[in-house]
Amino acid sequence: MTAIIAPGATIGIIGAGQLGRMSAVAAAELGYRTHVFAPEEDGPAFQVAARHTRAAYTDERALKAFAEACDVITFEFENIPKTCVQWLAARAPVRPGWKSLATSQDRIVEKTFLNALGVATAPWRAIHGGEDLCAALKDIPERAILKTARLGYDGKGQIRVDKDTECASAWAALETTSAVLEGFVDFKMELSVIVARGPDGATAAYDPVENRHVGGILNTTIAPATIPATVTTEATAIAEKIAQALDLVGLLAVEFFLTPDDRLSVNEIAPRPHNSGHWTQDGAVTSQFEQFIRAVCGLPLGSPARHSDTVMKNLIGGEADDWLNILGDPDNKLHLYGKHEARPGRKMGHVNRLHPKGSSLDI
């Protein structure tokens, strides 16, 4: 089977959120059709895809028809049942592949994998009950955070704990069967690097960016991050090393903590387009979404070069209602996701604002 999927083919996308939506738009610009598979009633990606299937991820009949209709299949988020991916992979190419998905969707697996590669993370312990938590807090006695091993995102599924925490109550509140306890990292900046990797092993990495969170949700991304060249080189090398070790085909986002003495530790990874890469839609030669499609289809990778310094601001909840005023500034580049209901904490869109390279960004 050839690694190249030619324009005119159909790309299957599992998941109907905004990442799937923007990937589908990029695919159309390269001459591909997309078929989106998701259980929700009105996902943003459904609005722009050539076809969509609304069915449970465990519906084998729907999955079979979906696989038969697609030339290659990818996904826009990690929380997909193993059986779903295995079923599809037996019938069509699935990229970036099961190893990438399985590693990133479980924090215990992910951190074990990273540490085995020699990649630094926060100190951590696997937790499977209140007794495990009490024992781990003796090893990590200062501030720590208890996170579900699976399904947590945007600050959900997390509880702050310390040596005085009542372990049984904290464990019960998390409502899970497996978790990780992470020690806090004293960091001066949160960074991320997005790297693309094709079926031939070729890679292309975007500049490291600074990410600022509010309430556990990404609020602002600043491209590029103001960091020493040595940190840029190291962060990029780590991201490429992880992508190679996963044999990933597609995109990989790697989130880092940067300490006051410029040491890096990896927070988490995501084998797909990432919120912190939205700046590339307007500030880079090739957007992360076009690059994603190029990699998944085995096309030559585009240039990840940044032509402008860029500030990306997420529009959360009702902030998207200010779209007219946002468009009133001709320098704003507005991207809305087509979601019908604005809820607190829900990402409704984002705004990119470009600046000349090397300028002092006013955030």
Side-chain angles (χ1 to χ4, degrees), residues 8-24:
T10 296
I11 302 170
I13 300 176
I14 307 173
Q18 63 264 21
L19 299 178
R21 177 190 180 95
M22 290 181 276
S23 297

Side-chain angles (χ1 to χ4, degrees), residues 197-249:
R197 183 176 183 273
D200 60 354
T203 61
Y206 292 95
D207 289 340
V209 297
E210 177 184 353
N211 299 314
R212 299 181 181 178
H213 293 78
V214 176
I217 301 173
L218 180 62
N219 182 273
T220 305
T221 293
I222 303 163
T226 304
I227 53 178
T230 53
V231 175
T232 293
T233 300
E234 182 183 3
T236 302
I238 291 171
E240 291 175 341
K241 179 180 182 179
I242 296 170
Q244 297 284 9
L246 290 171
D247 195 23
L248 175 135
V249 176

